[in-house]
Amino acid sequence: GLGFNIVGGTDQPYICNDSSFYVSRIKKDGAAYLDGRLQEGDKILAVNGKDLKDLRHQDAVELFRNTGYDVSLKIQRRLQPQNGPAGHQSDGESGGLPLAAILVPGLALAATAVWILLRYRQRM
């Protein structure tokens, strides 16, 4: 196989009102993993020049299975995370934690500290 799984299709939309196909998983040591260009979360637009628009999931799977040795994929990079496959960082994304992962707990801690301080002052 090509070493990756897909989700989507007209009969199994992965994203509401979007029947496109997305890479859900890249298998370690598979062809896609070894090639290194495809990323989890990428949208696959065409395979060997065949547009995937308006295909059922099983029809797309069959198309991938019958590609042969030379495979050409037309893809669209995932621009930002969405409720979907977790994956590799796309080009241009910085590493590390998202800002919200730091700010939200920090603000909650600060608010709790202020509340405790105010309660303590009321008792005095």
Side-chain angles (χ1 to χ4, degrees), residues 1-8 20-24 32 38 42-48 50-52 55-75:
L2 299 174
F4 64 92
N5 294 357
I6 60 169
V7 291
S20 301
F21 292 91
Y22 295 87
V23 177
S24 62
L38 194 63
D42 285 350
K43 182 179 189 176
I44 303 176
L45 306 173
V47 179
N48 290 344
K50 171 87 169 112
D51 190 0
L52 296 181
L55 285 181
R56 294 179 316 132
H57 183 83
Q58 191 57 41
D59 295 334
V61 169
E62 287 302 315
L63 187 63
F64 280 104
R65 284 186 178 149
N66 296 318
T67 56
Y69 279 107
D70 293 323
V71 180
S72 173
L73 298 178
K74 182 177 179 183
I75 64 155

Side-chain angles (χ1 to χ4, degrees), residues 95-103:
L97 291 173
L99 186 58
I102 297 167
L103 287 180

Side-chain angles (χ1 to χ4, degrees), residues 14-15 81-85:
Y14 177 63
I15 297 174
Q82 50 190 316
N83 292 338

